[in-house]
Amino acid sequence: EPEVTQTPSHQVTQMGQEVILRCVPISNHLYFYWYRQILGQKVEFLVSFYNNEISEKSEIFDDQFSVERPDGSNFTLKIRSTKLEDSAMYFCASSEWTGEETQYFGPGTRLLVL
Amino acid sequence: SQQGEEDPQALSIQEGENATMNCSYKTSINNLQWYRQNSGRGLVHLILIRSNEREKHSGRLRVTLDTSKKSSSLLITASRAADTASYFCATAAMYSGGGADGLTFGKGTHLIIQP
């Protein structure tokens, strides 16, 4: 069964460093999403992406974040200058359509900022 | 406002018993989805119920949706130790004609099945 994959599974970085989290959505899906889950808290929506541009973004998704689909399969989240509070599990998801359809989540990347 | 709030926060039952979790939300929705998360792992999609549906079944899962009360319930019948996990409801907002809205998750119910 097709699934969303994410790399790396874990990443440790120093505060102020840039990180890039990678995702490969399900191949025939058109909508892509990033979420984060700070330890012990809710899963929070960051951004959605469709047709090579950001579709919607939450207030969390500020200027330090960016997303890109550099080729036909990968979808990346870049955090430009990491802060301690960026430590969280980051989930990528994809869906065939928006709003009406199931979003399938990847296994997540656990980011630790020291 | 809080959206997708589950209760109870934690539930511990004996294997073989049924587990019921509830979810409430505040805004109009397109659909409501239930996910499972094993400790520190990814989110596994369980079931999606659309706003025009009232009940849906999938294996041992039964989901109900009451849009007048803005609430949903997830019933797991004949629970197994492997059902131990956190369960989240997530709502997709009514389509605004804008873009791809993300899901709004609740805090989850932590379910423990005692063998």
Side-chain angles (χ1 to χ4, degrees):
Chain A
E1 185 174 325
E3 57 185 20
V4 177
T5 59
Q6 290 184 243
T7 55
S9 59
H10 295 78
Q11 177 138 11
V12 181
T13 190
Q14 295 291 324
M15 190 170 55
Q17 294 295 305
E18 175 183 286
V19 296
I20 298 176
L21 309 183
R22 291 183 166 79
C23 168
V24 179
I26 294 173
S27 62
N28 63 331
H29 285 186
L30 301 177
Y31 292 87
F32 315 119
Y33 310 82
W34 283 101
Y35 294 81
R36 78 172 185 192
Q37 185 181 31
I38 295 171
L39 188 63
Q41 297 188 25
K42 293 183 183 186
V43 176
E44 301 172 292
F45 168 69
L46 293 178
V47 65
S48 60
F49 193 86
Y50 169 70
N51 199 27
N52 283 319
E53 61 183 23
I54 289 175
S55 183
E56 297 287 344
K57 60 183 181 180
S58 72
E59 58 193 24
I60 301 170
F61 193 87
D62 61 21
D63 291 345
Q64 69 164 332
F65 292 96
S66 63
V67 289
E68 193 178 34
R69 188 153 163 83
D71 54 43
S73 59
N74 289 285
F75 179 50
T76 62
L77 173 69
K78 182 190 292 186
I79 309 175
R80 255 179 280 281
S81 177
T82 51
K83 305 171 191 168
L84 296 177
E85 54 265 37
D86 294 328
S87 295
M89 182 77 99
Y90 287 82
F91 294 107
C92 173
S94 68
S95 66
E96 282 189 79
W97 300 99
T98 182
E100 303 279 332
E101 293 299 324
T102 298
Q103 292 185 24
Y104 293 91
F105 282 73
T109 293
R110 186 173 294 281
L111 176 66
L112 178 60
V113 182
L114 301 176
Chain B
S1 64
Q2 296 294 327
Q3 182 86 333
E5 296 293 330
E6 294 91 340
D7 77 86
Q9 290 188 332
L11 178 63
S12 180
I13 61 173
Q14 293 296 121
E15 196 166 21
E17 293 181 339
N18 295 341
T20 299
M21 290 159 273
N22 303 296
C23 166
S24 61
Y25 59 91
K26 288 186 163 46
T27 62
S28 296
I29 60 170
N30 256 328
N31 65 65
L32 185 145
Q33 305 182 35
W34 284 91
Y35 288 84
R36 186 184 74 213
Q37 184 180 38
N38 289 80
S39 181
R41 310 284 284 275
L43 293 157
V44 175
H45 183 261
L46 296 176
I47 197 164
L48 178 152
I49 186 164
R50 302 189 191 286
S51 58
N52 61 352
E53 297 176 311
R54 293 295 166 260
E55 188 171 311
K56 204 161 182 180
H57 297 252
S58 175
R60 293 185 295 115
L61 305 180
R62 182 172 81 99
V63 169
T64 63
L65 180 64
D66 186 336
T67 52
S68 66
K69 294 181 180 177
K70 290 187 166 59
S71 66
S72 173
S73 68
L74 171 67
L75 168 68
I76 303 174
T77 60
S79 63
R80 305 167 183 168
D83 294 330
T84 294
S86 290
Y87 291 82
F88 298 89
C89 70
T91 51
M94 184 69 74
Y95 182 66
S96 62
D101 292 331
L103 297 174
T104 301
F105 282 80
K107 292 181 180 177
T109 292
H110 185 51
L111 176 65
I112 298 172
I113 308 299
Q114 309 274 6

